[in-house]
């Protein structure tokens, strides 16, 4: 039965090889069930509920790509998109987490439509190749920067003369305030390296060193091992919460999941965002940016891992870019990815992606969807780890963000930095993503400078109609913000 359904012999693999590959991939990416709640809970979402939503999303998405596309990949909430969800959409744009979930669902729905109608391939062709690499590298820089801040490795010196507002009210030097809930300062804020005097920062440093040693030594499951070891070291340091209520944790997990499940489609979610023309424009551009980032992420993972192993042949890639149906494995893989993101919004977590950790399972011999089924089973069984969600400190998860960000920096190599027509848009794409805490603004800056430079040079043929439309929408959004 397994032989016929997954075509094992045709793909030169066996049940044993697929099972080992699935377990290998699961161990490599199991850290996401702890990292995702740690990040999304900053928005006010209950971490126990996000834990279960993360697992159910991973199980659903991975089963779809395994059973529908017969591919050995794992789908789970993206690290880049969890950062965009938290720091761009909620903290930056001021949306609630329920509205952010509505956007996630909308991204999935739109992606399903454009994937089924092949509009997706038109968008892929419309974006300049080197800007695609700049987007991927920029997301990596963004993630690494967040990791450095969450670890406490950076302090920020703020002179009173640089403060613009406190608690969303204009600030006058010398004026006193009873309490500070939020503060905005101008570019005079100066970053500085931490003095490493507090226990959480020291623990994060220890965790980072452990993770670096594990990663460079190619230890299987390095991320998960570092989380466990760092958490244990944090106990005598007084950083790790040692209070574990197993029964209460399981109860809270399912109760909290009930509080976030379906909120994307509730009155405070998706339907509360379309109130004015400006809000509609912001939602459209944010959804586009999320969808575009996820699309390039998935395609990059497929091509990067599938070509060398033969999972995706050159003929399969040609069919993906030029074909009209869904004959290619890559087409079916992207369909699975888009449906998984739609389910993510409903379950209560950020957008999914095809995890690069799938590579370790593929290297172990995984070639079919049976590998994915084993991965999904691993995630389902990991529900028993619910009591540990409240135990693991941020010092144990922040180093993962730094290393993941670093691993994405190889995209910079594909950019021709000697050609300023390319280098300038690429720089602003990646720099704005990290330092404005917004993937959307990074993409916008890159597109605007690309169109501007190519127009000045008279190279209009290199600007696709789709790129013109997207750039104009981004400009209208900036104008709207400036006039607000």
């Amino acid at each position: 039965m397994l032989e016929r359904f997954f075509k094992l012999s045709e793909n030169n693999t066996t049940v044993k090889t697929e099972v080992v590959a699935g377990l290998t991939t699961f161990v490599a990416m199991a850290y996401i069930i702890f990292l995702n709640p740690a990040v999304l809970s900053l928005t006010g979402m209950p971490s126990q509920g996000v834990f279960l939503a993360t697992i159910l999303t991973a199980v659903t998405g991975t089963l779809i790509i395994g059973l529908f596309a017969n591919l050995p990949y794992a789908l789970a909430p993206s690290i880049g998109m969890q950062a965009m969800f938290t720091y761009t959409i909620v903290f930056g744009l001021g949306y609630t987490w329920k509205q952010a979930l509505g956007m996630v669902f909308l991204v999935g729905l739109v992606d399903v439509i454009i994937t089924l109608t092949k509009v997706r391939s038109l968008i892929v062709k419309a974006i300049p190749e080197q800007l695609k690499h700049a987007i991927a590298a920029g997301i990596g820089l963004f993630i690494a920067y967040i990791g450095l801040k969450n670890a406490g490795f950076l302090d920020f010196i703020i002179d009173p003369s640089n403060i613009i507002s406190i608690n969303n009210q204009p600030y006058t030097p010398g004026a006193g305030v009873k309490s500070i809930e939020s503060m905005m300062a101008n570019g005079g804020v100066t970053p500085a390296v931490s003095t490493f005097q507090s226990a959480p920062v020291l623990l994060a440093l220890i965790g980072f060193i452990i993770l670096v040693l594990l990663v460079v030594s190619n230890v299987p499951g390095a991320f998960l091992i570092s989380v466990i070891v760092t958490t244990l070291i944090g106990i005598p340091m007084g950083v790790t919460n040692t209070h574990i209520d197993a029964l209460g944790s399981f109860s809270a997990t399912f109760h909290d999941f009930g509080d976030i499940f379906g909120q994307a489609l509730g009155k405070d979610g998706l339907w509360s965002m379309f109130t004015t023309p400006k809000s509609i424009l912001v939602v459209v551009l944010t959804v586009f940016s999320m969808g575009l980032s996820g699309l390039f992420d998935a395609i990059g993972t497929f091509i990067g891992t599938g070509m060398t192993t033969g999972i995706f042949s050159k003929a399969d890639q040609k069919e993906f870019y030029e074909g009209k149906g869904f004959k290619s494995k890559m087409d079916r893989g992207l369909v699975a990815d888009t449906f998984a993101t739609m389910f993510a919004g409903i379950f209560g977590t950020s957008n999914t992606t095809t995890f690069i950790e799938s590579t370790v399972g593929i290297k172990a011999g995984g070639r079919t969807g049976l590998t994915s089924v084993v991965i999904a089973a691993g995630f389902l069984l990991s529900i028993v780890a619910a009591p540990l969600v409240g135990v693991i400190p941020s010092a144990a998860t922040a180093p993962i963000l730094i290393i993941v960000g670093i691993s994405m920096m190889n995209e910079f190599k594909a950019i021709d930095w000697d050609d300023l027509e390319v280098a300038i848009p690429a720089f602003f794409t990646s720099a704005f993503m990290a330092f404005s805490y917004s993937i959307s603004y990074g993409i916008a800056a890159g597109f605007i400078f690309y169109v501007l430079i190519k127009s000045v040079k008279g190279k209009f043929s290199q600007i696709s109609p789709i790129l013109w439309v997207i750039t104009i929408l981004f400009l209208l959004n900036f104008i709207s913000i400036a006039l607000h």
Side-chain angles (χ1 to χ4, degrees), residues 181-239:
E181 297 177 359
S182 64
M183 179 186 295
M184 178 179 289
N186 60 26
V189 174
T190 306
V193 176
S194 170
T195 55
F196 297 97
Q197 293 179 333
S198 68
V201 177
L202 284 173
L203 179 61
L205 179 61
I206 294 170
F208 180 67
I209 293 173
I210 291 172
L211 181 55
V212 168
L213 295 177
L214 291 172
V215 170
V216 298
S217 300
N218 296 316
V219 176
F223 287 174
L224 183 60
I225 293 172
S226 73
V227 168
I228 295 173
V229 173
T230 305
T231 299
L232 291 175
I233 294 174
I235 295 176
M237 294 179 68
V239 178

Side-chain angles (χ1 to χ4, degrees), residues 294-305:
L295 178 62
F296 293 157
D297 194 3
I299 292 176
T301 301
F302 284 156
I303 293 177
T305 60

Side-chain angles (χ1 to χ4, degrees), residues 59-82:
V59 169
T60 303
T62 305
L63 282 177
I64 293 175
I65 202 169
L67 299 177
F68 173 66
N70 195 24
L71 290 171
Y73 291 94
L75 295 174
S78 161
I79 294 177
M81 290 300 99
Q82 70 181 208

Side-chain angles (χ1 to χ4, degrees), residues 362-402:
I362 293 173
K363 287 181 179 178
R367 292 294 182 272
T368 74
L370 181 54
T371 294
S372 297
V373 172
V374 174
I375 297 169
F379 273 112
L380 193 60
L381 292 174
S382 65
I383 292 177
V384 299
L388 300 179
V389 175
V391 172
I392 296 173
S394 61
T397 55
I400 295 176
L401 295 174
I402 300 173

